[in-house]
Amino acid sequence: MPYLRLRDLRSGAAREYESAEVRVGRDPDLELSLTGEGTDVVSGTHVRFVYRVRRWWIEDMGSRNGTYVGERCLKPGQAEVVAPGALLRLGKTGPRLKVEAAASLTLDATILESPADLEQPPEPAHAAAPPRQAHGAILKIVFEDAASGQRYRAEGAVVRIGRAADCQVRPLGTERELLSRHHAELALTPDGTVIVRDARSVNGTFLNAEFLDGDGVLKEGDQIALGEEGPVLIVEELAVSAPGGLTTLLVRRVAREVSQGTSARVRQLIWSMLAVIVTAVSGLYILEERREQATAAALEEQRQALDEQREQLEDYRKALAAQQATTDSVLYVASAEYERLSSELFAATERAAPASVIDSLRGALIAADERTQALEASLARSQDALRRQLAAGDSARRQADAEVARLRAELERATQERVSPGLVDSLRRAIREAEEQSGDIGAQLRAVSGVNLAAVAQANQGAVGLVTVFQGLRLFDGSGFVITPSGHFVTNRHVVNPDGKAPDSVFVTMADERFMEPADVIAVAPAGQPDLAVVRIRDYSGPHIERVDWSGRRATQGEPAALIGFPAGLGAALDQTRTARTSMSAGIFSQVTAESIRFDGFTVEGSSGSPVFNATGEVVGVHRGSLRGATGLGFAVPVTKLILLLTPEVKAELGIE
């Protein structure tokens, strides 16, 4: 899903787009229509952003006053890649725009299927035409994956790219499924030119965003895209060596011409000079390669250390949320039991019950009071653990900020020393990753400290249930919550109808219970409508969520959010006694519209259907999915969309129209 965010630096307003093309100008029909002061220098359709080959490109549409990226004016009709942070100016005195985000987002449903994924049958191998080669020469190449930064080194007379075992370059990552067994290949022509060609792949090969139909000449800095949505490989290093030593085809060609056209003395002098040059260049190349490898290894080690700190912080947060939710639930039950015993003791005293009855009630009351005090002490320990977690998170954030500063200093030294562009780009990527990690840690700290987890858990967790759906021999897990005393239960369409197919049976295990209860599907939103479904638990008697934002006005951007559910499904939900225990996570509402709610928080497979609460404990949405590769970014359906699925009887029970 293409994603672009632009900010108007004059007004400060930001616009977000999820389409593959965004046109900018004065025409009111464009995606971004500019009006007001300074727009007299803007053309009707001035510039456009277009997403292709996993990159956002900017193209001037033949504007009257030109488009400037920084201080450089774009050539009309020529597209170039645009990156986050780029500053654009429409005309020398016109509006200024900042590209805040330019990415591709992939939305995954967070339903958990228990069986392992089936192996896909291998694609048929495609016969490729024999490559033209430079006799005796060896091609050496270094690729860099544009998405992950992973490097691939390969050498040979022919370099093949694909999934097959005989390919020298086999890209990894989530886009690997888009590769053919033999997707593309590189080879040398007799004159020493390096060419790239598609190996009759299924999804095609693109060279610098252009579809490759035939042979394409390859050079350093070029980008090879394996399919429109597949991996993008950047040619970082490209060299040709002969079997007898490190020398390029150009040197061999010059040497041959010199040998044929000069005297023996001149030939000897030139050969000596060539030997010195080749030896010096080889030494510098080896030295630079070793320095680059050492720096890359150090950066990788630092990234792994930061990832471990981040995972440790996340584990602390999940464990604390689960512990506090369980403690609060038990404390709530104990307090209710204490109140009940107090009432019975008072009533027995009032009606002059026998002394044995009063003593029995008094003893039970004392025991309940002791249990309540013990649980209050446990809650105090949980709150103390929360404070320690916040302190640990703040320490991790300071370490991440220090790492950013260190990487910036290293980048400054690398720039001054004029090392290889590949090393500089690697340092820049490391800085971006460290900055993003620092921001993620800060968001997690705000989420943990911004919501009263105990209060929300006490009031609502008993009404949350684990949904188990059977479809043939397959089993799926999800979450949901009860909204009526008669047992009407809300979840997602993709939970009760996985893969778009009706289930054989549906069961619900409520929080703090050990047994599945059968349920009947009442209503399912059709495809293309909000991802919602309603089931009814048979013979239900238990708690239900009473505070629901049917008005749709209680979720506010920037405010805290909370989610209660069963992440990771049935296996992680059961404790030692086989009792289902909920987990809670906190977050922040990052975007709220009438159609969708986005929030930054911890969501994983199995969370589908979980209720999303605001800071005061009202349900404002139903969690439906999260983004692949975007840690903690979740999507929910506003709870107001549920009203269309409710029958008049259920609406009457809820007291809504």
Side-chain angles (χ1 to χ4, degrees), residues 39-113:
T39 57
D40 54 330
V41 299
V42 179
S43 301
T45 301
H46 197 108
V47 68
R48 74 165 181 165
F49 298 85
V50 60
Y51 182 81
R52 59 174 182 261
V53 198
R54 299 181 70 246
R55 290 290 185 274
W56 278 99
W57 302 72
I58 185 173
E59 179 182 2
D60 184 277
M61 302 301 291
S63 63
R64 183 175 65 255
N65 295 302
T67 302
Y68 294 81
V69 178
E71 299 300 323
R72 180 171 49 83
C73 184
L74 294 179
K75 295 181 180 180
Q78 181 177 353
E80 70 177 50
V81 174
V82 63
L87 297 177
L88 312 178
R89 191 167 70 253
L90 309 185
K92 289 187 176 181
T93 61
R96 300 176 65 211
L97 303 176
K98 181 179 179 180
V99 180
E100 291 192 335
S104 173
L105 308 179
T106 303
L107 183 64
D108 281 347
T110 54
I111 182 174
L112 183 69
E113 180 181 355

Side-chain angles (χ1 to χ4, degrees), residues 335-578:
S335 299
E337 178 68 10
Y338 180 84
E339 293 296 331
R340 185 185 66 80
L341 290 172
S342 297
S343 300
E344 290 183 6
L345 178 59
F346 179 81
T349 305
E350 286 292 318
R351 63 176 181 265
S356 60
V357 175
I358 294 176
D359 291 339
S360 175
L361 288 173
R362 184 178 289 112
L365 182 61
I366 293 172
D369 182 59
E370 291 174 351
R371 288 196 301 271
T372 302
Q373 291 177 1
L375 290 172
E376 288 175 344
S378 176
L379 178 59
R381 290 194 299 270
S382 298
Q383 291 172 340
D384 182 65
L386 174 61
R387 287 191 292 271
R388 290 197 302 270
Q389 178 188 350
L390 292 173
D394 187 64
S395 175
R397 181 173 57 186
R398 288 196 299 270
Q399 291 179 8
D401 292 340
E403 177 65 11
V404 171
R406 190 194 65 78
L407 290 172
R408 287 187 181 278
E410 190 167 346
L411 175 62
E412 181 67 23
R413 288 196 302 271
T415 304
Q416 293 175 357
E417 294 174 2
R418 297 182 180 180
V419 299
S420 69
L423 177 58
V424 174
D425 290 342
S426 177
L427 287 169
R428 287 172 177 164
R429 284 193 302 274
I431 290 174
R432 287 197 298 270
E433 292 172 2
E435 289 175 338
E436 291 172 358
Q437 187 168 37
S438 179
D440 288 346
I441 294 174
Q444 291 172 3
L445 291 173
R446 291 194 303 273
V448 171
S449 60
V451 182
N452 188 340
L453 301 179
V456 176
Q458 284 181 355
N460 299 285
Q461 72 168 357
V464 178
L466 173 66
V467 186
T468 304
V469 176
F470 292 91
Q471 194 181 78
L473 298 178
R474 305 167 73 192
L475 179 149
F476 300 88
D477 288 334
S479 302
F481 54 100
V482 179
I483 59 171
T484 67
S486 58
H488 287 86
F489 185 92
V490 178
T491 185
N492 292 131
R493 176 181 58 239
H494 73 263
V495 172
V496 298
N497 282 3
D499 298 332
K501 300 177 182 178
D504 295 332
S505 56
V506 178
F507 293 86
V508 176
T509 307
M510 297 303 297
D512 302 323
E513 298 291 341
R514 290 188 293 174
F515 303 103
M516 294 182 178
E517 299 295 340
D520 301 309
V521 178
I522 301 299
V524 179
Q529 297 297 317
D531 190 359
L532 294 171
V534 178
V535 303
R536 185 174 184 180
I537 304 172
R538 300 176 191 172
D539 302 323
Y540 181 74
S541 61
H544 67 281
I545 290 180
E546 298 182 356
R547 303 186 62 194
V548 180
D549 177 27
W550 298 114
S551 67
R553 296 191 296 268
R554 304 297 179 84
T556 305
Q557 185 178 23
E559 291 292 324
L563 180 148
I564 301 178
F566 296 91
L570 186 63
L574 303 181
D575 63 9
Q576 295 85 346
T577 65
R578 308 298 294 171

Side-chain angles (χ1 to χ4, degrees), residues 483 548 550-551 642-643 646-648 650-657:
I483 59 171
V548 180
W550 298 114
S551 67
L642 181 64
I643 297 176
L646 303 179
T647 63
V650 176
K651 291 181 181 178
E653 190 175 1
L654 292 170
I656 61 175
E657 299 181 358

Side-chain angles (χ1 to χ4, degrees), residues 269-298:
L269 177 60
I270 293 177
W271 273 109
S272 300
M273 292 176 62
L274 284 175
V276 172
I277 292 173
V278 169
T279 302
V281 170
S282 300
L284 291 174
Y285 176 83
I286 294 173
L287 178 62
E288 184 62 32
E289 186 174 24
R290 289 178 178 176
R291 287 182 56 191
E292 185 173 341
Q293 290 175 349
T295 303

